[in-house]
Amino acid sequence: MRAGLYIHFPFCLKKCLYCDFNSTAWSGAELDGYVELLLREMELRQEALPEPVQAPTLYLGGGTPSLMVPELVGRLIEQAALRFGLEQGAEVTLEANPGTLTPERLAGYRAAGVNRLSLGIQSFEERLLERLGRAHSVPQALAAFDQARRAGFDNISIDLMHSLPGQTLEDWRAALAQGIALAPEHVSAYALSIEEGTPFEKLYQGGELVLPGEEEAARMFETTAELLTGAGYLHYEISNFGRPGRFSRHNQSYWSRQSYLGFGSGAHSFWNPDGLGRRWNNAADLDDYRTALAAGLLPERDEVQLSLQDAVAESFFLGLRVLSGLDLAPIKACFGEDALAGQLAEVERLQQAGLLVADGGRIRLADSSVIIANSIFSRFL
Ligand code: SF4
């Protein structure tokens, strides 16, 4: 059975003001204890699996996994390989905050087996980084990128954010130009969204956070694709751009409903041996996560066995995220044509409205509807 591996690291230097991810500010305490929990979870998971796993990808995300020293990252990669069989040439990604990196640390990660770096640069303007509450500066981001290249990383992704408070379209154009000038292999470009329970939500509700208007935000989205594709990047998913052959293999497996196993507090998993699949989350609370493992139990919560209807719906709304579109033939072969009747009728309606395009057995978003993708996906729920 092939399954990607995801390891969640729930600590950050500090909490960004917009962030609702499962992460907390790191107290400076030893991180070995958390790594021991991850290793224990891998052991229990291996014992519980009905069959051995071969992993084409391993993704260390968070949070800020680059708070871990290379030795700890190395232990995790080694154990993942031992217990689940990392395939030859597997993509091993580490998310990194530029403020945590040094040349030695980067060289250590490379030596430990990390071959893809995802750098959370977000902005090339100091005032915007401060506004976001980020824990790094622009010089740190530029130095981290340069040091990563020197350490031998030839597959680097950078994250950039637009629609930020006080950001103009010209600011965003300049940020994209700076990003392109670095020549990363991959760019993830996201609009800021105001999430429930974050400091930004409070400020926004109180009228203290002035965001670009809807039209300007739309222009930023369009400009992203225009500048990045103009620079030779392929726009392969709504927010993701890559050089040919440098798309995120790990994230692509999410959109094609391939199995993945998540480790760490709050990590999600999907096990799909039959086309329908089973999803579950790990306990998000660190104490609950620790307690379950100490009792020799997997920290699984909220397990859902997907129904035929759920699985078909997922195949459409996840598959359509990929801009080359979803291939209908394997979906029909998996679920049977009758099971797709509702979705195909919806495709027909959206096609007539010019929002979807059918192309040689594939269905994809029309270029003009990428910006309203979420409202299209909701039609398949
Ligand atoms: S570094 Fe990432 S995960 Fe951590 S608080 Fe900031 S946005 Fe959230």
Side-chain angles (χ1 to χ4, degrees), residues 101-161:
L101 298 175
T102 62
E104 297 70 35
R105 197 170 264 233
L106 283 158
Y109 292 143
R110 193 72 196 86
V114 177
N115 55 27
R116 183 173 183 271
L117 204 64
S118 174
L119 268 185
I121 289 180
Q122 316 305 356
S123 174
F124 292 104
E125 288 186 78
E126 215 60 68
R127 64 173 181 116
L128 292 179
L129 289 179
E130 277 168 26
R131 192 71 195 91
L132 294 170
R134 295 286 306 182
H136 74 275
S137 66
V138 176
Q140 280 177 321
L142 297 175
F145 191 93
D146 182 52
Q147 290 161 3
R149 284 287 191 231
R150 287 170 198 271
F153 283 99
D154 63 1
N155 195 2
I156 304 179
S157 177
I158 62 171
D159 286 357
L160 296 174
M161 292 176 77

Side-chain angles (χ1 to χ4, degrees), residues 17 131-132 164-167 192 194 198-212:
L17 298 172
R131 192 71 195 91
L132 294 170
L164 302 178
Q167 187 184 41
L192 171 72
I194 303 299
T198 60
F200 261 21
E201 187 203 29
K202 261 195 195 146
L203 292 170
Y204 185 68
Q205 305 281 6
E208 292 172 64
L209 201 65
V210 183
L211 299 176

